Amino acid sequence: MLGTRSEIFSSGGKQKMTSLDQQIIICRCEDLTLSDVRGLIEKGYRTLDELRRISRLGMGPCQGRTCRPLVQRELQAGGVPMKSQSIGVIRPPAMPITLGAIADGSEEGQKDA
Amino acid sequence: MRNSAEVVIIGGGVIGVAVAYHLAKQGCRDVLVLERDYLASGATGRCGAGVRQQWGTEMNLRMSIPSVKMFESMNHDLEYDGDIEFKQGGYLLLAYTEVGWEQFQKNVALQQQHGLGVRLCTPEEAKEIVPHLNTEGLVGATYNATDGHCNPFHVTDAYAKAARRLGVEIQTFTEVTAIRRSNGQIVGVETTRGPVATKTVVNAGGAWSGQLSAMAGVEIPVRPERHQILVTEPVAPMQGPMVMSFHHHLYCQQTPHGSFIMGLGDPSEVAGFNQRASWQFLEEMAQKITWLLPPLRGVRVVRQWSGLYEMTPDRTPILGGVSGVEGLFLATGFSGHGFMLAPMTGVLLAEAILGLPASLPIEKMDLGRFARGELFYEPSVV
Ligand SMILES: Cc1cc2nc3c(=O)[nH]c(=O)nc-3n(C[C@H](O)[C@H](O)[C@H](O)COP(=O)(O)OP(=O)(O)OC[C@H]3O[C@@H](n4cnc5c(N)ncnc54)[C@H](O)[C@@H]3O)c2cc1C
Ligand code: FES
C-alpha cells in the first residue's frame, strides 16, 4: 500500500516540498505528513470531507481531534478561507469504546430497565 | 461551467461517474456530471463497499460477475494514480434455518451455472474458513473466494479522474433544481449555477432519484431507507472473508487497512431521508457481532454513521430509458448493492444512451416492468 500511497499524495509539484515537510506528521493516527496534506490540497481536494475520504486523514482513533485544526490551517494557506471551511461531520461515539463494553453495557441496561 | 451538453448526469456517486466514464470511453465526451455536494457524499461514501457475486437472480449474477472482472483490472484500465484497494477475501454467507439453507442450495446451483466457483459448506468447513466464527445454531454456509470489497472513495475518484481525462466535466457543489421537458422530450436542466441545455439526462441520484424523476414528471418506485454501519480501529489481519448473515441482517468485514466495517439492516426501518446514527444500532450491532465473532469483543469502535439504501419493490435496479419521455435515463434503485454493480451499470447505460448493442437484456430492468408486473425477486439482501 505504501508504494501507491506516495503516488496519490505526490503533487505535480507547484509548491516545493522539503524533506522536513515529509517528516512533519499532521495526522498521527493515520500517519500522514505535512507534505502529504499539501500535495492533496494542491491536487484539488479542498474540503475536510474530501480530504478525509481520499486519505483517511482525521478518520483514526482520535477522529481528527488532533489533526483537524492543523489541516484547517493548511487549507487556509492553500487558499480556502477559514470562514468558508466546513468542519465536517463529527460522528459518534465520542471516544473509542470496545464492542465488548457496548454489548455488556447494553445487557446491564436491559436488566436495570 | 458549460451551458449545454450532449448528456447531463445528475449525481456524483459511483454510478454517475461510472456512466460518465463509459460514455466518454465510447466517444461521447460532451458530458456534464452535476453533484450538489462533493463526489461520493451520498450512499457511495457511506457504504460497506462489499463486492459479491453470490446472488439469487440471473440478472444480478449477470451484472455482478462481469463487474468483478472490471474491479480486478480497474487500477490499470482507468490508469489510476492511487489504488482502489480491491481485496478478494471471499464472502461467507451463513444460513440459520432450513428454509434459508434450501434457498442457498438453489442459489448455488444457479451461481455455478453462471460459472462461479462457489461452494456449500458445513458449519465445520465454515469454521475452517473463518476460525473465530461461533457456529452455534449454524445450519450451513456458502463461500465464494473471488468476492471481496473495495475502497469506495478511490473507485469514485478513479472513475472521475479517468472521465475528466477523456473530456467529461464534473461540477461539485452544483444542485439540479428542475428538469425541463418540451412535450415528450428532455430539453435541459436548471441548476444553482444556471441553466444547461441538453437532450439527454441520466438520473443517478441514488436515494434522491425519486425527487429528481418527479422533476421530469415521472414517478418511480424508489424508497429511501436508512441503514447504519460502523468502523473499528485497525487491528492485525485476522479475517479474510466478509461474513454475512441474512438471518441476523448483518455483515462484517476486515478491510486491508485493518479496521472492521460492519452493518445491520433493521426490518422495521421506515422509509425516509433520516440519516442520523442511533445508539440502538450500536448496541444491537455489538451484541450480535460479539456473539457471532467473539474475538471482536476487544476491538474498539471509532465511528458510526448511516446512509440511505435506494429500495425498489423487487430489490432490483431500474435501468435505461423511460417510455414517453425521450432523453430521460434511469440508473437507480440499487436497493443497497449499487456499489458492486457500478462497473456493469456504466457499460449498460452508455450502450443504452448511445444506441449501441446491449451487453445484457437491460430492457427487462426498465421502469415499465412494474406496470407490466414482470418483477424480479432477489432473495439475498441484508
Ligand atoms: C450503510 C450502507 C452500506 C452499503 N453497503 C454496500 C455494499 O457493501 N456493497 C454495495 O454494492 N452497495 C452497498 N450499499 C449501497 C450503495 O452504497 C449504493 O447502492 C450506491 O452507492 C449507489 O450509488 P449512486 O451513485 O447511485 O448513489 P449516491 O452515492 O447516493 O449518489 C447520488 C448522488 O446524487 C446527488 N444528488 C441528489 N440529488 C441531487 C440534485 N438535485 N442535484 C445534484 N446532485 C444530486 C447526491 O448528493 C449523491 O451524491 C450500501 C449503502 C449503505 C447506505
Ligand atoms: S490525528 Fe488525525 S485522526 Fe487522529
Side-chain angles (χ1 to χ4, degrees):
Chain A
M1 266 192 54
L2 282 175
T4 56
R5 222 189 69 151
S6 59
E7 280 160 33
I8 299 186
F9 295 118
S10 70
S11 79
K14 251 186 270 149
Q15 192 174 8
K16 191 109 180 64
M17 301 295 167
T18 66
S19 59
L20 193 62
D21 292 351
Q22 283 155 20
Q23 283 163 28
I24 298 176
I25 303 284
I26 293 284
C27 177
R28 55 174 197 228
C29 296
E30 295 292 340
D31 193 23
L32 297 175
T33 65
L34 183 57
S35 101
D36 291 338
V37 173
R38 287 187 174 161
L40 287 166
I41 293 172
E42 249 186 48
K43 280 193 159 186
Y45 301 98
R46 302 181 76 82
T47 62
L48 264 180
D49 281 321
E50 288 165 295
L51 286 168
R52 296 205 301 189
R53 281 166 175 77
I54 200 70
S55 69
R56 292 199 171 90
L57 176 93
M59 305 287 258
C62 89
Q63 287 295 288
R65 276 172 196 85
T66 319
C67 57
R68 195 183 304 120
L70 303 173
V71 177
Q72 286 180 302
R73 199 191 58 200
E74 282 308 309
L75 277 167
Q76 182 158 34
V80 188
M82 200 64 93
K83 63 175 188 295
S84 74
Q85 288 181 24
S86 144
I87 59 160
V89 185
I90 298 167
R91 301 195 189 278
M95 295 286 278
I97 173 168
T98 64
L99 283 162
I102 301 168
D104 295 346
S106 58
E107 271 158 29
E108 276 161 32
Q110 274 167 4
K111 271 180 233 142
D112 293 345
Chain B
M1 187 167 99
R2 65 187 82 181
N3 60 16
S4 78
E6 208 173 318
V7 180
V8 169
I9 297 172
I10 311 173
V14 69
I15 298 296
V17 293
V19 173
Y21 166 75
H22 282 283
L23 278 169
K25 195 181 155 205
Q26 295 284 4
C28 173
R29 294 171 177 208
D30 184 13
V31 176
L32 176 62
V33 179
L34 299 172
E35 165 55 50
R36 70 168 162 215
D37 216 311
Y38 51 89
L39 294 182
S41 57
T44 299
R46 299 160 179 271
C47 81
V51 174
R52 79 173 138 121
Q53 302 153 94
Q54 298 184 63
W55 289 102
T57 61
E58 172 162 359
M59 214 35 125
N60 273 333
L61 284 164
R62 293 179 71 182
M63 294 280 291
S64 62
I65 294 172
S67 290
V68 163
K69 289 271 170 302
M70 293 163 84
F71 281 123
E72 283 172 352
S73 60
M74 191 169 282
N75 282 330
H76 174 265
D77 295 346
L78 300 184
E79 296 173 41
Y80 189 38
D81 61 352
D83 181 0
I84 65 160
E85 296 169 18
F86 187 33
K87 166 186 154 189
Q88 285 171 290
Y91 258 59
L92 185 70
L93 305 187
L94 308 175
Y96 285 88
T97 61
E98 286 306 325
V99 177
W101 182 232
E102 272 166 34
Q103 182 67 51
F104 274 19
Q105 288 169 307
K106 280 188 216 152
N107 292 355
V108 164
L110 182 68
Q111 291 157 4
Q112 287 175 341
Q113 275 171 31
H114 283 264
L116 215 57
V118 56
R119 63 185 159 101
L120 293 164
C121 307
T122 62
E124 295 70 37
E125 288 165 341
K127 201 167 170 65
E128 274 165 33
I129 297 168
V130 176
H132 55 284
L133 180 72
N134 170 11
T135 53
E136 191 185 324
L138 185 64
V139 176
T142 67
Y143 178 67
N144 180 49
T146 56
D147 294 345
H149 60 88
C150 299
N151 180 320
F153 311 115
H154 287 187
V155 169
T156 307
D157 194 49
Y159 272 125
K161 281 179 176 158
R164 277 182 169 135
R165 276 200 305 275
L166 293 172
V168 169
E169 181 175 337
I170 300 178
Q171 291 293 348
T172 53
F173 302 101
T174 309
E175 181 168 356
V176 171
T177 52
I179 298 175
R180 298 265 172 252
R181 272 172 66 166
S182 169
N183 301 318
Q185 168 70 54
I186 296 289
V187 293
V189 300
E190 303 288 330
T191 80
T192 45
R193 293 168 64 200
V196 182
T198 185
K199 288 199 161 125
T200 306
V201 162
V202 180
N203 179 352
W208 300 272
S209 57
Q211 302 173 341
L212 285 163
S213 289
M215 292 179 188
V218 175
E219 209 182 299
I220 61 171
V222 174
R223 190 169 56 94
E225 185 182 283
R226 176 180 68 166
H227 280 250
Q228 305 199 53
I229 182 165
L230 65 79
V231 66
T232 70
E233 64 189 333
V235 293
M238 58 182 278
Q239 183 177 317
M242 166 82 100
V243 172
M244 195 168 214
S245 161
F246 301 118
H247 182 72
H248 299 100
H249 306 283
L250 70 75
Y251 57 87
C252 174
Q253 73 194 23
Q254 188 175 23
T255 69
H257 171 249
S259 52
F260 278 86
I261 291 188
M262 58 191 84
L264 205 58
D266 176 358
S268 67
E269 185 73 43
V270 291
F273 291 98
N274 171 18
Q275 291 200 72
R276 282 189 299 273
S278 76
W279 171 253
Q280 290 87 328
F281 159 74
L282 200 58
E283 260 184 18
E284 192 185 339
M285 184 83 244
Q287 281 171 357
K288 286 186 171 170
I289 210 69
T290 55
W291 174 80
L292 187 65
L293 303 168
L296 293 192
R297 282 188 67 83
V299 180
R300 295 184 302 168
V301 177
V302 296
R303 188 166 64 252
Q304 70 171 121
W305 69 94
S306 80
L308 299 171
Y309 275 21
E310 57 310 48
M311 300 303 292
T312 61
D314 60 358
R315 303 157 158 199
T316 302
I318 308 176
L319 303 180
V322 177
S323 81
V325 188
E326 204 57 41
L328 179 64
F329 289 83
L330 303 173
T332 180
F334 293 92
S335 305
H337 45 277
F339 176 77
M340 65 183 85
L341 301 182
M344 261 320 264
T345 301
V347 170
L348 292 172
L349 261 286
E351 290 168 352
I353 293 164
L354 302 175
L356 300 168
S359 306
L360 281 184
I362 82 158
E363 69 284 354
K364 290 190 181 170
M365 285 188 275
D366 73 341
L367 177 63
R369 74 174 183 270
F370 300 103
R372 294 193 303 272
E374 292 168 5
L375 303 200
F376 298 87
Y377 180 70
E378 177 51 65
S380 314
V381 175
V382 169

